Amino acid sequence: MSVSSGVELPSPAAAPSKIHDEKREQEGESAEVAPPDQNRKPEKKVSHKLRAAFSPKGSLRPFRLLKRDVVNLRRRYLSDWTFFNQLILASAVFVFFTNLLPGITFASDLYELTGKNYGTIEIVFSTGLVGVIFSWFAAQPLVILGVTGPFAILAENIYELSRDSFKIPFLPFMAWSLIHAAWMHYLLAIFNAHDWTMRYVTEFSGEIFSLLNSLIYFSKAIQELQRARDNLSFAAFLYSIIGAVGTFLLAVFLSTAEKWKPLFHRYIRMGLSEYAAAISIIVFIGMPRIGELANLDRQTLEVSRSFRPSNPDRSSFVVRFWELPVAWVFAAIIPGLIITILFFFDHEISTIICTASRYGIKKPGGFAWDIFLLGTTMAICGILGIPPANGLIPQAPLHSESLLHTVKTTKVTKEKSSGDETPTEPIRTVHEQRWSHFLHAGGILLFLSPPFMHVLGLTPTSVLAGLFLFMGEQSLAVNPILYRVALWVTPPSERAPLPKPVPGYRGIHMYTLVQILITVGIFVMTFTIAAPAFPVIFVILVPLRLKLMNRFWHRETLRYVDAWACKEGTPEGDEDARNSNMSERTQEAAGNNRTVAEP
C-alpha cells in the first residue's frame, strides 16, 4: 500500500571499515596492528548513530519532514480549489451523513457517561470546526475527521476517574490532557515520528484496524436496536428492525446503480449511485410518517435546541482550565500520552488507508504537517470543552471511494507500427481537491443553528442503525481480510494459482485467522476495564509482525500477503536487500584484506 507523500528514509549510518583504516593510516597508525579499544567501541557506535540520526537527512533531524510538507502544501494548494463537479458535491453529501449522524449517536452515549459534559452540540461543534480547519490547512484533505468511538471510550473512563477517584472537575482535567497531547503531537511532527514509527507498520496492522472499525459500527447498529427494544412498543420495535434493514439494503442496492446498464440514462444511474446513502436516509425518515405507521411511537435523535453547552451548569464554551491545581495539571500528562498514542496511530492509519494505491493518488500529502495541525486542533477543543476530532475509519476511505472515477490513459508500447491506433486502458482515480471536505464540514457547522437541529431531530434511530450497517459493510467490502476469508470456502480448483515461491494456501489461511482473532480480542477488550489501554495493542502489533511471525510463517507467504503500509515493498524484500548489501561489503572487505596482506 502506498501513499502520495513519499517517505524519506534515513540515510545509511554505516561507513565502510576501509575508510576508517585509511584515516588511521593517514594519522601514522597501522590498521592491522592497532589494538582495538573494546571499552570505547559501544560509545563510538552510539555516538555515530546519534550523529547520523541528526544529520540533514537523518530520522531525528528537527523539522525535516515539516519543511518538506510545507513545500508540498504550497505546490498543490491552488489546484485543490480550481476543480469542482457534481461527483464532488455528491461526495460532500455522502460524507455529511456518514460523519454527522454517527457522531450524534456517540453524543447520546457520551452525554450520559460524561455527566452531561459532552452532548450533541459539542460533537457537532467539534466535527464541523476541526473539519473546516483541516479542509483549509491540511496537507492531505481527503482525510475526514470526527469524534471516534475509541476516544468516546477514553473520555468515559477519564470522567469516571475524575469523578470517583480524583474528585476533580472533568473538563479542566480533560483540557489539560488535550493540551499535553498537543505538545506531544508537536514533538512527534518536529522529530519526524512518521519516519521512525509508521515506516515499520505493515498492512497487517492496517487491515486489523479497519476490521475493528467495521465491527464497532456493526455493534453500534445492534446497540441502537437494543435501545429501541427497551423504549418502544413491540410493534414499533419490529418496524425499527424493518427501518434499519431497509435503510441498509436500499443504500447498498442504489450504490450499484452504475451497473444497471441499459436501464435509465447514465446520468440517472450515476446520480442514484452517488447519492445512495442520502436517498435511503431521506426515504426512511419520511416513511414512518405515512399512513398507519404515523401512529407508532418512535425514537428519534436527541439534539440540542440552542447553541449553548449541553451541561446546564455551563454558561460558556471556554473551560476555566487555569483553575485546576498544579499537581493535577502534571498528572494530566498520563492521559495525554494515551490520547497521543491513539490519535497519532488513528490519524496516520486513516491517511494511509484513504490514500491507498487503488485510489491513484498523485498529489503529495504531508504526515508531519497534519500531525502538527492535529495537535493544534486538540488544544483548541480542550479549551472550548468539546471532544477532539481526528481521522475517521471508515469515513476517510469512504470519502476516497465516493470520489473515484474512471479515466482513460494512453498505453505506451515499445513496439508499435506507425499505422496502429494508440490503445487506451481505463484507470480508476479520485478527484484530489478540498471542496468535498469543506462543504461537508461547513454543512455540519450549519446544523449548529436551532432550526437545522430541529430537522436533524426528526431522524429515527432505526435509520441511524441502518446507516451504521451500511458504513460497516462498505468498509468491510474493501478489506483484503474479507477476500481471504472467502478463499476458505473456495474449492481448490477455483482458486487463483499462487506464485511459485509461495508454498500454499494453508499459511495464508492461518495468517488471516490470526488477524481475525486479534481483531476480536481488541474488540472484546473495548468493553472491559482495560479499554483505555487498547491503543497500545496496535503498537505491539508492529514487533509481532516483524520479529515473531517470520518464525512461524514461510517468508514467501508473508511477502505475498503483506507489504509496508507507507512505502513500496515488503519487509522480506528489504531484508533481502540488506543481506545482499552486507554480502557485497563482506566480499569487498575480504578483497581489501587480501590486497593488504600481499607483499
Side-chain angles (χ1 to χ4, degrees):
M1 185 182 301
S2 63
V3 291
S4 59
S5 173
V7 179
E8 295 183 8
L9 298 179
S11 57
S17 59
K18 181 180 177 181
I19 297 178
H20 294 286
D21 292 344
E22 292 175 353
K23 183 177 180 181
R24 287 196 297 267
E25 289 174 2
Q26 292 172 359
E27 295 173 355
E29 300 178 9
S30 171
E32 292 185 56
V33 299
D37 189 349
Q38 300 293 341
N39 295 329
R40 295 188 58 84
K41 274 187 176 181
E43 297 177 6
K44 289 182 178 180
K45 189 174 182 181
V46 171
S47 176
H48 185 70
K49 286 185 176 181
L50 285 175
R51 285 197 301 269
F54 285 95
S55 65
K57 291 186 178 181
S59 59
L60 294 176
R61 180 74 172 188
F63 299 100
R64 180 174 58 83
L65 290 185
L66 277 175
K67 290 178 181 178
R68 188 195 66 183
D69 293 347
V70 171
V71 172
N72 290 338
L73 179 60
R74 292 174 58 188
R75 289 176 178 173
R76 68 170 291 172
Y77 195 78
L78 289 180
S79 65
D80 286 341
W81 294 104
T82 55
F83 180 80
F84 187 85
N85 63 8
Q86 60 85 25
L87 180 61
I88 293 173
L89 178 61
S91 174
V93 173
F94 171 67
V95 178
F96 170 82
F97 283 108
T98 57
N99 198 0
L100 178 63
L101 297 183
I104 293 177
T105 301
F106 290 139
S108 62
D109 293 336
L110 284 171
Y111 183 74
E112 297 295 332
L113 298 174
T114 61
K116 302 181 180 180
N117 285 294
Y118 286 160
T120 303
I121 198 74
E122 285 82 9
I123 297 290
V124 175
F125 192 10
S126 172
T127 304
L129 176 64
V130 176
V132 168
I133 292 174
F134 266 77
S135 69
W136 278 92
F137 302 111
Q140 183 49 264
L142 290 176
V143 182
I144 298 300
L145 296 93
V147 179
T148 63
F151 175 78
I153 295 172
L154 284 176
E156 294 164 9
N157 284 271
I158 292 174
Y159 172 75
E160 291 179 359
L161 289 172
S162 301
R163 181 195 60 187
D164 301 332
S165 301
F166 304 156
K167 309 298 182 183
I168 57 175
F170 166 68
L171 286 180
F173 187 69
M174 177 60 79
W176 276 109
S177 299
L178 295 177
I179 292 172
H180 289 312
W183 62 257
M184 291 179 190
H185 277 70
Y186 293 158
L187 291 179
L188 290 173
I190 291 171
F191 289 100
N192 319 305
H194 174 77
D195 267 10
W196 43 268
T197 55
M198 301 307 293
R199 62 176 293 190
Y200 298 110
V201 175
T202 67
E203 293 181 358
F204 172 78
S205 302
E207 291 169 2
I208 290 174
F209 197 78
S210 180
L211 180 59
L212 174 65
N213 279 274
S214 295
L215 289 181
I216 289 176
Y217 278 105
F218 289 144
S219 70
K220 285 293 181 182
I222 295 173
Q223 289 174 14
E224 288 300 324
L225 293 178
Q226 287 177 333
R227 291 193 185 98
R229 183 194 61 184
D230 297 336
N231 300 320
L232 300 176
S233 64
F234 184 70
F237 168 61
L238 290 180
Y239 177 75
S240 294
I241 297 177
I242 295 172
V245 176
T247 302
F248 166 66
L249 293 179
L250 181 59
V252 171
F253 176 67
L254 293 178
S255 66
T256 64
E258 289 193 43
K259 301 177 182 178
W260 294 357
K261 189 178 181 179
L263 294 178
F264 307 118
H265 191 278
R266 70 185 184 93
Y267 288 115
I268 295 178
R269 297 196 304 269
M270 189 182 303
L272 292 174
S273 175
E274 293 166 357
Y275 293 93
I279 294 172
S280 180
I281 290 170
I282 293 172
V283 167
F284 280 91
I285 286 177
M287 188 172 293
R289 291 167 172 79
I290 299 176
E292 294 296 326
L293 293 176
N295 298 325
L296 292 175
D297 52 334
R298 53 181 173 268
Q299 188 174 9
T300 58
L301 293 178
E302 296 182 5
V303 297
S304 301
R305 302 301 177 185
S306 61
F307 183 63
R308 65 183 310 276
S310 300
N311 193 328
D313 297 333
R314 295 177 64 196
S315 58
S316 171
F317 277 102
V318 177
V319 176
R320 303 175 70 86
F321 61 94
W322 56 87
E323 296 181 352
L324 191 70
V326 175
W328 292 112
V329 170
F330 287 99
I333 293 176
I334 298 176
L337 177 60
I338 295 176
I339 293 172
T340 298
I341 295 173
L342 172 64
F343 274 48
F344 178 79
F345 188 89
D346 204 347
H347 196 85
E348 293 263 323
I349 289 295
S350 299
T351 305
I352 291 168
I353 294 178
C354 78
T355 56
S357 57
R358 67 175 177 272
Y359 298 126
I361 303 298
K362 296 180 177 62
K363 294 183 181 181
F367 288 94
W369 172 255
D370 285 352
I371 290 299
F372 190 91
L373 188 62
L374 183 64
T376 302
T377 57
M378 291 176 71
I380 294 173
C381 290
I383 294 172
L384 291 177
I386 58 180
N390 70 313
L392 287 174
I393 299 176
Q395 285 89 337
L398 289 180
H399 182 214
S400 296
E401 292 285 342
S402 67
L403 292 168
L404 271 174
H405 63 286
T406 302
V407 296
K408 291 184 177 181
T409 60
T410 301
K411 185 178 181 180
V412 181
T413 56
K414 294 182 179 179
E415 298 179 0
K416 186 184 72 172
S417 62
S418 58
D420 292 340
E421 295 183 357
T422 303
T424 61
E425 56 181 8
I427 293 180
R428 300 277 283 173
T429 185
V430 302
H431 291 302
E432 297 182 65
Q433 39 69 49
R434 297 178 183 270
W435 283 109
S436 56
H437 197 156
F438 173 71
L439 290 176
H440 111 271
I444 290 175
L445 278 181
L446 187 65
F447 272 74
L448 287 173
S449 61
F452 286 96
M453 272 286 184
H454 175 72
V455 173
L456 198 61
L458 300 176
T459 306
T461 55
S462 60
V463 171
L464 194 59
L467 180 62
F468 282 148
L469 292 174
F470 178 68
M471 292 170 62
E473 182 272 337
Q474 292 288 291
S475 176
L476 186 62
V478 297
N479 194 323
I481 292 178
L482 181 64
Y483 168 76
R484 294 198 295 269
V485 168
L487 293 175
W488 293 357
V489 294
T490 302
S493 60
E494 300 295 329
R495 296 171 184 164
L498 294 172
K500 289 184 178 180
V502 181
Y505 274 99
R506 177 175 297 180
I508 297 175
H509 295 336
M510 293 304 299
Y511 176 92
T512 306
L513 179 61
V514 167
Q515 285 184 302
I516 294 174
L517 291 177
I518 292 174
T519 305
V520 173
I522 298 174
F523 179 70
V524 172
M525 179 182 176
T526 61
F527 294 96
T528 68
I529 194 173
F534 83 91
V536 179
I537 301 298
F538 288 101
V539 178
I540 298 175
L541 291 180
V542 174
L544 173 68
R545 164 62 182 90
L546 298 180
K547 299 298 183 182
L548 186 62
M549 293 184 66
N550 54 10
R551 300 182 182 180
F552 299 95
W553 274 265
H554 195 284
R555 64 194 318 271
E556 295 301 329
T557 298
L558 295 176
R559 189 199 304 267
Y560 179 74
V561 297
D562 199 13
W564 293 118
C566 298
K567 57 182 178 179
E568 297 291 343
T570 65
E572 288 68 34
D574 287 4
E575 183 181 354
D576 291 342
R578 287 194 301 270
N579 292 337
S580 177
N581 292 335
M582 186 179 299
S583 176
E584 292 177 0
R585 288 197 298 267
T586 301
Q587 293 176 4
E588 182 181 355
N592 294 334
N593 291 335
R594 284 195 299 269
T595 302
V596 173
E598 292 178 359

